[in-house]
Amino acid sequence: MKAAAGQVLDIGITGMTCANCAARIERALRALPGVSEAAVNLATERAHVVADPQQSDAAALGRAIEKAGYAAVATDIDIGIGGMTCANCSARIERALRALPGVLAADVNLATEQAHVHAFAGAVDLAKVEAAITTAGYEPRPLAGVSGGGGEQDRARAAELHAHGARAIVAGLLAVPVLVLAMGPMLVPPLGPLFQSLEPVPGFWRLAQWVLASAVAFGPGWRFFSAGATALRHASPDMNTLVMMGVGSAWLYSTAVLAEPQWFPVAARALYFESVAVVVTAVLLGKYLEALAKGRAGDAIRKLAGLQARDAIVVRDGGEVSVPIAAVVVGDVVVVKPGGRIPVDGVVQSGSSFVDASMVTGEPMPVAVGPGARTVGGTVNQLGVLHITVTEVGSRTMLAQIVQMVQDAQGSKLPIQRLADRIVAVFTTVVLIIAALTFLAWMVFAPAPAVALALVSAVSVLVVACPCAMGLATPAAIMVGSGRGAELGVLFRRGEALELLSGVDTVVFDKTGTLTEGKPSVTEVEPAAGIEAPALLQMAAAADAASEHPLAAAVVAAARAQSLVLPAAADFAAVPGEGVRATVGGRRVLVGALRLLEGEKVDTAPVAAAAQRLLARGRSLTFVAVDGEAWGVLGVADALKPGAPAVVAALRARGLRVAMMSGDAEAPARAVAAAAGIDDVLAGVLPAGKAEAIARRQADGARIAFVGDGINDAPALAQAQVGIAVASGTQIAIAAADVTLARGELGVLVSAFEVAARTMAIIRANLFWAFFYNVLLIPVAAGVLYPTWRITVNPMFAGLAMGLSSVFVLANSLRLRRIRPWAPPAAALPVAAAGFLAQPSASPAP
């Protein structure tokens, strides 16, 4: 919508509470250059702005509102796009989308063939986005849903792949006779006399070449002329323009020679119909292989999305009915039979079974589930019948969140890609200029007939210089890398995290719930002289069984882990802040802090040395007395996760500094850190101070990845260069984190670094190849080697090289699918576990 004074926008605003808020926003907006009117309505929570888009675009308006302390209401639109062939296509669509009133940002991904538009809510809708794409000369396509299969976009892609293949085959069948007629006598001299003897009338074979080459150029190759002309009309030449001009020039010249040979010197009467036919065929074949490789690049996300069940058996009106998955609602009870796929996230209401969750969690062993257990949609029930109460449906399920995160990462742009985008933006224009200068230079300096060398060189420059490889170099690698990461349990919320993670030099772990299990457990059992460890643990657990204190629960859990039988306790009494009293088997038992035993006049000298040893290790102490005598002391701590030392060692082996941050006191924090192999410890840091501690290290030059549980570590996750959340259960999409370890295992962290490092290495190799290819071949195609070595590039080989460059980039990116999940050394896990969690003996209790 336009007005005389500029563009009119109505912007929704949140956070206003009074008239002063509205006035503050008005002042901020009016201060922007080009804003002629700004009125904020507190009641409707909207701002009416008239501005010159050349001076203050939507992004500037949004920043002004945010700087004033409020937020503009924005929306996101994702859409598929058909017809793109190179980076210039994606750049043209981006410009068209960003020109829409109210668009804050627009990114188009050539590899995924999708656009992501971020705009003021209500200013832009799907219809306007589709119209802008259509006007730019491309085809808008609806995106498939989370089901991932059978969607319109998938069918369109399959149809496009089939069309690419069909065009390449038809072009190839027509091009082969042209190539044989034109080049056969040069390669096999006896063919010359044979063709001459079979020629019905003079000039027949030359006319046949024209007919066949024209059929190739204006049949299967017509798409290049159509798209190339559209690009020129938009003043944005692209790959199609280069092919159109190169093939068109060769066809026009050869047709003119065929029709009016007297216009040209005898030596310049060569025909280039074989170049026309083979160039079109080579480019079409390259496009087919490129589309095939792009399809393979998206295999990971389609595999994940394909886990979504289509239907569900739901209990309705006392019976079981099969309904489409979209009809399932929270609170429904679904029935999953053996071999069936669990349709949605939920909690087991009845039944027991083993569930294969390997496709979602990566765990090869089936997981036992029973009443109260949480289930994840997409996993497979193996044995019994399960009745599951639905807790999440649609986009809130774990599977849907995983798919969405991977799609978001694949659709985003890395900082390294922006350099390539800036180069591509002017690349095609530069190539056209180089081709024109090449033609003029050879027309002036080449020996007669100059036109032949000038034409071949200019056409070769146009054909060889396709920017496809540059446009695919980054998004193809992101697509494959983020997809493989998802299969390994690493979810990149945005593609930029891949580049940032590859550049960090320091990993800072939160302690509780990240390096440790997040709950207390008994780590040592130290009996007094004459008392056996199982007897000590049994009496303590029996007394603690009725307590709700977390330390008491840890003692009971340790006894049950040793299969100890717990006698019933009588006369139970909890002493706040001290412990418990109870009678077990007629014996009076005290379990708790040292002051509980001292208050009861119990001599603790027999366990004093053991208590000092445990304190030195940073353990919390639980004392046990029976009938007035000290029986022993239990060490309680938040146990280290299995494999944590191996993970720390693997990170160090990658050249990373490793630190740990905790709110605990110095002694227990250092005890955990020492067990994990970490000597850099920040203890006594409250949650609010974690971000400040990260910022201090960043000020000293550290590039930090912070690893936390994603709940109370949000400020630190956001402050770090890369925030990595260790997810648990179905808690996947953690807003503050850039990377989520979906399996909740620390070992996946090493895989995350491997995926990031390998992806960036592939991107750099792709960009090097794409730029080096053009830097090397454009001068050769222009003829710089001709004066000395008489070397030129035939347009046919230029077409093959151009197609193969894109295929190389995609094939190189597909190597990321070979990344294997990280596994600790064979001896690492047992040693690490034994080093920290010393389980009590399982000898019989008295």
Side-chain angles (χ1 to χ4, degrees):
M1 182 177 179
K2 297 277 186 178
Q7 200 173 76
V8 179
L9 287 173
D10 286 298
I11 307 168
I13 300 176
T14 61
M16 294 189 294
T17 57
C18 65
N20 284 334
C21 300
R24 187 179 306 126
I25 297 171
E26 285 182 356
R27 288 194 298 272
L29 292 173
R30 288 170 181 166
L32 292 175
V35 173
S36 57
E37 181 182 339
V40 179
N41 189 313
L42 178 63
T44 62
E45 295 186 313
R46 300 191 71 79
H48 178 82
V49 182
V50 179
D52 180 355
Q54 300 300 320
Q55 298 185 58
S56 289
D57 58 11
L61 299 175
R63 288 193 297 270
I65 294 170
E66 184 178 346
K67 191 174 180 180
Y70 305 90
V73 181
T75 187
D76 293 298
I77 298 173
D78 293 286
I79 188 170
I81 302 173
M84 293 192 294
T85 56
C86 69
N88 292 91
C89 300
S90 56
R92 186 186 316 142
I93 299 170
E94 283 181 354
R95 288 194 296 271
L97 293 174
R98 288 169 183 166
L100 291 174
V103 169
L104 296 163
D107 291 306
V108 177
N109 190 304
L110 178 63
T112 61
E113 298 179 321
Q114 293 181 17
H116 175 79
V117 179
H118 185 61
F120 290 135
V124 178
D125 56 19
L126 182 60
K128 291 180 180 177
V129 171
E130 290 177 340
I133 293 171
T134 302
T135 302
Y138 301 89
E139 176 194 354
R141 294 174 178 171
L143 293 178
V146 72
S147 61
E152 187 174 335
Q153 186 193 23
D154 293 328
R155 288 192 293 272
R157 256 186 199 154
E160 187 174 39
L161 180 64
H162 176 75
H164 277 309
R167 283 191 290 261
I169 291 172
V170 171
L173 292 175
L174 294 172
V176 168
V178 181
L179 190 61
V180 171
L181 289 171
M183 308 294 292
M186 299 182 194
L187 300 175
V188 184
L191 287 179
L194 177 62
F195 287 163
Q196 189 173 2
S197 66
L198 295 175
E199 190 172 31
V201 294
F204 178 82
W205 296 130
R206 292 164 68 89
L207 183 62
Q209 290 183 52
W210 176 82
V211 171
L212 292 171
S214 299
V216 173
F218 304 113
W222 177 249
R223 64 190 302 270
F224 300 118
F225 289 86
S226 175
T230 300
L232 281 180
R233 283 199 307 272
H234 288 86
S236 179
D238 61 6
M239 184 270 303
N240 297 293
T241 308
L242 297 179
V243 175
M244 175 188 73
M245 297 187 71
V247 170
S249 299
W251 184 87
L252 283 172
Y253 178 84
S254 301
T255 300
V257 169
L258 182 65
E260 301 293 342
Q262 68 275 10
W263 292 355
F264 304 88
V266 174
R269 293 175 184 176
L271 300 181
Y272 297 98
F273 289 126
E274 79 283 357
S275 293
V276 170
V278 174
V279 164
V280 171
T281 302
V283 176
L284 289 173
L285 179 61
K287 288 284 120 186
Y288 172 74
L289 295 175
E290 180 183 306
L292 196 64
K294 282 200 288 188
R296 291 181 61 200
D299 281 348
I301 193 168
R302 281 192 292 275
K303 190 186 299 181
L304 286 169
L307 296 176
Q308 175 68 59
R310 307 282 183 177
D311 304 289
I313 300 174
V314 183
V315 177
R316 297 270 172 88
D317 300 323
E320 297 178 2
V321 295
S322 178
V323 301
I325 192 66
V328 179
V329 298
V330 173
D332 274 344
V333 175
V334 298
V335 181
V336 186
K337 297 179 180 179
R341 193 174 293 280
I342 296 174
V344 290
D345 296 357
V347 177
V348 176
Q349 184 185 78
S350 63
S352 60
S353 180
F354 285 87
V355 172
D356 177 5
S358 58
M359 286 301 294
V360 174
T361 67
E363 289 298 326
M365 296 298 293
V367 180
V369 298
R374 300 188 68 87
T375 59
V376 174
T379 56
V380 179
N381 179 29
Q382 292 191 326
L383 296 176
V385 177
L386 294 176
H387 286 71
I388 299 172
T389 302
V390 178
T391 58
E392 304 289 353
V393 296
S395 63
R396 295 183 61 84
T397 63
M398 176 180 176
L399 181 60
Q401 292 181 50
I402 290 175
V403 171
Q404 186 60 52
M405 289 182 74
V406 177
Q407 287 177 333
D408 290 346
Q410 291 181 344
S412 59
K413 287 191 176 182
L414 273 63
I416 195 173
Q417 186 178 348
R418 295 183 188 123
L419 172 63
D421 287 347
R422 287 196 295 270
I423 294 174
V424 168
V426 298
F427 178 79
T428 308
T429 302
V430 171
V431 169
L432 291 173
I433 294 172
I434 292 174
L437 292 176
T438 297
F439 183 83
L440 294 174
W442 285 123
M443 287 296 293
V444 173
F445 298 108
V451 67
L453 181 59
L455 178 69
V456 168
S457 299
V459 170
S460 294
V461 168
L462 290 170
V463 174
V464 83
C466 171
C468 295
M470 284 186 281
L472 289 168
T474 299
I478 296 174
M479 190 175 182
V480 182
S482 58
R484 182 54 182 156
E487 292 178 330
L488 297 174
V490 183
L491 303 177
F492 294 92
R493 190 167 63 92
R494 52 196 180 105
E496 189 177 356
L498 278 163
E499 184 170 351
L500 293 173
L501 188 60
S502 70
V504 303
D505 54 30
T506 305
V507 180
V508 178
F509 286 96
D510 172 54
K511 181 180 80 70
T512 306
T514 302
L515 279 175
T516 68
E517 297 287 0
K519 58 183 180 180
S521 61
V522 174
T523 53
E524 291 93 0
V525 178
E526 296 281 356
I531 305 298
E532 293 189 358
L536 170 62
L537 185 59
Q538 182 185 47
M539 293 297 264
D544 269 339
S547 174
E548 297 180 353
H549 195 281
L551 294 181
V555 173
V556 173
R560 287 177 176 163
Q562 297 299 313
S563 301
L564 299 177
V565 178
L566 303 185
D571 304 324
F572 174 84
V575 182
E578 294 187 7
V580 301
R581 298 188 185 93
T583 300
V584 179
R587 310 183 75 172
R588 186 165 172 269
V589 181
L590 300 175
V591 183
L594 178 63
R595 57 182 173 273
L596 176 65
L597 273 65
E598 291 176 341
E600 296 286 339
K601 308 302 182 185
V602 175
D603 182 11
T604 57
V607 296
Q612 288 301 317
R613 287 197 301 273
L614 295 180
L615 283 173
R617 296 176 191 170
R619 306 296 192 255
S620 297
L621 305 183
T622 295
F623 291 85
V624 183
V626 178
D627 290 336
E629 295 181 0
W631 270 39
V633 61
L634 309 178
V636 180
D638 186 1
L640 199 64
K641 284 184 176 179
V647 170
V648 171
L651 295 175
R652 288 186 184 280
R654 300 185 71 90
L656 297 165
R657 295 190 293 272
V658 182
M660 189 193 80
M661 188 181 295
S662 173
D664 278 356
E666 189 81 13
R670 288 202 172 275
V672 171
I678 300 172
D679 51 19
D680 186 355
V681 181
L682 290 82
V685 182
L686 297 176
K690 289 182 179 179
E692 296 176 6
I694 294 291
R696 285 195 296 271
R697 294 205 166 198
Q698 289 172 325
D700 292 334
R703 299 186 301 276
I704 295 176
F706 180 81
V707 188
D709 61 15
I711 299 171
N712 62 350
D713 296 317
L717 288 167
Q719 175 64 41
Q721 271 83 3
V722 182
I724 302 175
V726 182
S728 58
T730 57
Q731 176 202 347
I732 292 297
I734 300 171
D738 303 302
V739 182
T740 299
L741 309 184
R743 300 177 194 167
E745 297 175 4
L746 282 182
V748 181
L749 178 63
V750 185
S751 295
F753 277 96
E754 179 69 9
V755 168
R758 292 275 294 277
T759 300
M760 290 308 302
I762 291 291
I763 287 174
R764 293 186 185 99
N766 285 350
L767 288 172
F768 171 80
W769 166 257
F771 286 116
F772 177 77
Y773 159 85
N774 282 287
V775 168
L776 177 67
L777 288 189
I778 288 177
V780 175
V784 296
L785 301 181
Y786 183 80
T788 305
W789 291 289
R790 293 296 188 266
I791 295 176
T792 60
V793 176
N794 188 291
M796 293 187 297
F797 298 111
L800 288 171
M802 183 267 282
L804 290 175
S805 67
S806 295
V807 174
F808 171 85
V809 163
L810 285 161
N812 194 40
S813 299
L814 287 170
R815 292 169 53 212
L816 293 168
R817 296 173 64 183
R818 302 177 190 169
I819 297 177
R820 308 305 304 167
W822 177 82
L829 280 176
V831 170
F836 186 66
L837 182 55
Q839 292 289 352
S841 169
S843 57

